[in-house]
Amino acid sequence: MKDIYGREIEYLRLSVTQSCNLKCIYCMPDNDGAENIKCGRMLSAEEMGIVIKALAGLGIKKVRITGGEPLLREDIYTILRNISNIPGIADISMTTNGMCLEKAARKLKKSGLMRLNISIDSLKKERFAYLTGGGNIEKVLRGIKASLEEGLNPVRLNTVLIKGVNDDEVDDFIALTENLPLDVRFIELMPIGRFGEDNTDKIVYNDSIIERRPWLVPCAVEDIGQPARYYRISGFKGRVGFISPMSHKFCRNCNRIRLTCDGKIRPCLGSNGEISILDVLRERPNNLVDTLKKAIFEKPRGHNFENNFNSIRSMNMIGG
Ligand code: SAM
Ligand code: SF4
């Protein structure tokens, strides 16, 4: 269905947990981020299926599973299978930190996962460990290899660049696209969470990367609702993508809403408004569709990142 501004909303980001096995410096709050959800207030796999079925009836066609770290949910395969059985859902993807991916890739594919985004902010062992609060780059690289071998397509790597921290690795990441059929994507640091809010001077603007690399050739835009703009180096197997929420506001074409693991619809990443559907789902299920319709219709015009935005939730709690 269309929202108040005429945007066709067809993409759901489903956060299945706010817990994580890493602690990326720009993402996780000082506590583990999970303690705020009261016992019994998490959506079950079955409840997620009910909400997504209702959303599919309103025009949602694509679902991306995220978190926190989605592979920490023991019932992740049930969640995937439930979603893949919903008529109208044509595309199921996931964003993961890749730490548990090597073993999971095959079962994820079998359970209905089609595409995969893996977050990786450095290719250097020690720097990766620092940025992620103890992550193991070797494990993530093995996870990427396993995903490609299982035929997940596309596999995309997401890198958040931070000035003076990892922006010297841009060409190392781009070099991965020479022989691997990967999309490597650079995401501008957003002011969500304390690190992002305190370090707006450390944003690496994507235009500055593109301008200095005239050998990057723009690809045709395939999907206007997709915020990444893609480039390619002639003869390379993969592509380089740029997601620029800070320098190029793409809200006019935004087609997504979010559902948090504690049952809140968050229509916009960069606006604090949320609509709780947990009690509606459990106590007044006949009202679920109308509540979802209202949440979609009233999606805000755009994010507030330029207005000293303070998010009430950190990214692991929203589902990046
Ligand atoms: N744990 C999974 C992962 O890391 O891929 C999924 C959840 S994580 C919150 C999803 C994405 O949000 C990651 O790619 C991460 O880099 C990104 N992210 C988190 N905080 C961010 C921020 N302040 N600015 C830009 N991207 C951010
Ligand atoms: Fe965990 Fe992903 Fe946040 Fe890193 S970005 S702390 S892996 S949820």
Side-chain angles (χ1 to χ4, degrees), residues 19-24 26-28 67-69 97 119 315-316:
S19 299
C20 191
N21 46 357
L22 295 181
K23 202 169 170 38
C24 298
Y26 51 73
C27 179
M28 285 292 268
E69 175 46 39
N97 62 33
S119 307
M315 197 71 116
N316 69 300

Side-chain angles (χ1 to χ4, degrees), residues 289-303:
V289 171
D290 281 346
T291 310
L292 293 171
K293 267 189 192 165
K294 188 168 177 330
I296 294 175
F297 189 67
E298 293 178 0
K299 179 175 159 73
R301 184 193 287 267
H303 68 61

Side-chain angles (χ1 to χ4, degrees), residues 38-88:
K38 292 200 187 92
C39 183
R41 302 293 292 174
M42 285 273 280
L43 287 174
S44 67
E46 192 192 349
E47 288 174 327
M48 287 174 184
I50 294 170
V51 179
I52 296 172
K53 195 168 173 198
L55 285 169
L58 298 176
I60 294 291
K61 298 184 178 71
K62 298 201 237 178
V63 179
R64 171 170 296 280
I65 297 173
T66 178
E69 175 46 39
L71 295 183
L72 292 190
R73 245 194 90 155
E74 283 175 7
D75 56 357
I76 189 67
Y77 304 106
T78 311
I79 293 173
L80 268 169
R81 278 193 301 271
N82 287 351
I83 300 173
S84 58
N85 284 331
I86 296 174

Side-chain angles (χ1 to χ4, degrees), residues 13 19-22 24 26-28 65-70 95-98 117-121 158-160 187-193 195-196 245 315-317 319-320:
R13 291 227 169 175
S19 299
C20 191
N21 46 357
L22 295 181
C24 298
Y26 51 73
C27 179
M28 285 292 268
I65 297 173
T66 178
E69 175 46 39
T95 302
T96 171
N97 62 33
N117 287 3
I118 302 159
S119 307
I120 178 167
D121 293 337
N158 285 343
T159 302
V160 177
I187 303 176
E188 289 173 351
L189 176 68
M190 289 180 263
I192 294 183
F195 184 90
M315 197 71 116
N316 69 300
M317 297 163 91

Side-chain angles (χ1 to χ4, degrees), residues 170-172 174-175 177 208-219 230-236 238 240 242:
V170 168
D171 292 304
D172 297 340
I174 293 177
T177 66
S208 71
I209 302 176
I210 300 165
E211 276 158 16
R212 283 189 222 130
R213 292 170 181 81
W215 48 89
L216 290 172
V217 181
C219 303
Y230 286 100
Y231 291 71
R232 195 182 271 290
I233 298 182
S234 173
F236 281 27
V240 184
F242 296 92

